Amino acid sequence: MAILHHHPFCPHSRFVRLILAELGIEAELVEEKPWERRVPLLELNPAGNLPLLLDDSGLAVPGPAVIAEYLDDTRGPTLGDRRFLPQDPAGRVEVRRLVDWFLGKFHGEVSDYLATEKIYKRFMPLELGGGPPDMSAIRAARANVRYHLKYIGYLIATRNWLAGRHLSYADLAAAAHLSIVDYLGDVPWDEDETAKHWYARIKSRPSFRTLLADRVPGMAPWEHYDNLDF
Amino acid sequence: MAILHHHPFCPHSRFVRLILAELGIEAELVEEKPWERRVPLLELNPAGNLPLLLDDSGLAVPGPAVIAEYLDDTRGPTLGDRRFLPQDPAGRVEVRRLVDWFLGKFHGEVSDYLATEKIYKRFMPLELGGGPPDMSAIRAARANVRYHLKYIGYLIATRNWLAGRHLSYADLAAAAHLSIVDYLGDVPWDEDETAKHWYARIKSRPSFRTLLADRVPGMAPWEHYDNLDF
């Protein structure tokens, strides 16, 4: 069986868990604390970032974008319309542009700040940066999430899914990153009904279930986190 | 003809210029100042990052990784051994892992600091962050480049090129990012002969010529920047 080294509140790990679930690939989940930089993990992935997929053959595939491409290379061609990177080059550009947006820009401006400040720091030892959250980082993330939500609403206003007609990696990346922010109650859903409906649609998919069951010890989610009709 | 919106000292832009030259694709170069965030450019690429490729058909392809994938999708299959993303899934994982290393990690730890502090800031208006360089950022980049150089040497000690037997996107990404640091004289080449020989090999390729001809107005390059036998 494949093995996924992940953290339940790492948004990149959640993106890959969604892909695996959508593709029906079972994987054993091994929880990692990203701040520990365990040597066995660094031997498999010198960059040390999460998640890391070990496929059935033992091949180590590191990082969310590389894993997504690998799964498209190896599983995509047989999926037809259910392929998360479409066949046509222009469609692939649009999906990758948006994946890059959420794994890069949204992460750097929103989800990394919130996961680090509100979740990881509760569990990190002081000498590795643990302690109380930096409120200015949290305020910045809360301000930034608003224009990302608007951008999602803007795209969905003319498209069925984020990158076009079909569900794609773009939706899975966006929803995975938003799901962390949503756990914390920091998505201003009322500001964009279109984006909210898109999220409700994707949140209702069976692939989302295990994400909605995750809990941060000692920290309850926002009341509508696992409510499919929020 | 294709058009590449770029900056001559943006390392991501240099990566794409190398790919285009290696593939023999002529493109008109349009220089952008990344800090200006011109509206016509933002309309083509809302994320605003460089470079941006407009292909012959007018399709806008934004960002270094998305452009590299697009060129592999559209040109790669006919290139055989000269393909910069190999055919086999494990080979593709290794190339993408290293591209991600240089476009992400090396950029964040080395080339972004140096390009911004030493080059961009000379030309940026004060109100956009221009002014004298932040010496602590430069010191951090100079410390960080040493372990990256060692990592290149470690890989090249057992491989012909960075990701394996053939020249790949990994070499082009690494060399593009290093070339900025090299212009500034901040690569401690003496610390790793193996890495130095690899760089001399890739720097001698015809695709590198236009990069070696670039000059920052008012700032001469390090004396061996365009010396092929440095």
Side-chain angles (χ1 to χ4, degrees), chain A residues 6-15 17 31-35 50 107 111-123 176-185 210-222 225:
Chain A
H6 84 126
H7 185 281
F9 288 88
C10 157
H12 296 317
S13 300
R14 288 186 156 213
F15 171 45
R17 285 165 69 198
E31 186 171 330
E32 300 284 345
K33 297 181 175 63
W35 54 89
L50 288 180
H107 184 246
S111 51
D112 189 25
Y113 282 141
L114 292 174
T116 303
E117 298 301 331
K118 287 187 152 186
I119 303 176
Y120 295 167
K121 274 182 151 184
R122 297 163 70 97
F123 304 101
H177 278 256
L178 269 169
S179 73
I180 302 289
V181 188
D182 192 45
Y183 187 95
L184 300 167
T210 66
L211 272 56
L212 298 182
D214 286 337
R215 289 293 177 273
V216 179
M219 185 193 221
W222 177 62
Y225 175 67

Side-chain angles (χ1 to χ4, degrees), chain B residues 73-151:
Chain B
D73 281 345
T74 52
R75 313 286 179 122
T78 62
L79 293 176
D81 272 359
R82 291 190 50 251
R83 188 171 183 176
F84 298 123
L85 260 182
Q87 305 281 6
D88 65 303
R92 294 169 82 81
V93 166
E94 183 61 357
V95 171
R96 287 182 175 128
R97 176 182 81 81
L98 289 168
V99 168
D100 208 48
W101 182 288
F102 289 100
L103 300 189
K105 204 170 169 61
F106 188 88
H107 184 247
E109 295 173 355
V110 181
S111 52
D112 189 25
Y113 282 140
L114 292 173
T116 302
E117 297 301 330
K118 287 188 153 186
I119 303 177
Y120 295 166
K121 275 181 152 185
R122 296 163 72 97
F123 304 99
M124 287 159 80
L126 261 181
E127 67 275 18
L128 293 179
D134 172 350
M135 287 310 295
S136 65
I138 291 176
R139 273 193 298 274
R142 282 183 181 148
N144 294 338
V145 73
R146 301 176 66 186
Y147 94 86
H148 286 284
L149 198 65
K150 217 175 267 181
Y151 189 50

Side-chain angles (χ1 to χ4, degrees), chain A residues 194-223:
Chain A
T194 318
K196 183 178 170 177
H197 285 130
W198 160 84
Y199 189 67
R201 267 199 292 155
I202 195 161
K203 190 165 122 172
S204 309
R205 297 178 72 85
S207 62
F208 234 82
R209 273 184 212 144
T210 66
L211 272 56
L212 298 182
D214 286 337
R215 289 293 177 273
V216 179
M219 185 193 221
W222 177 62
E223 57 173 331

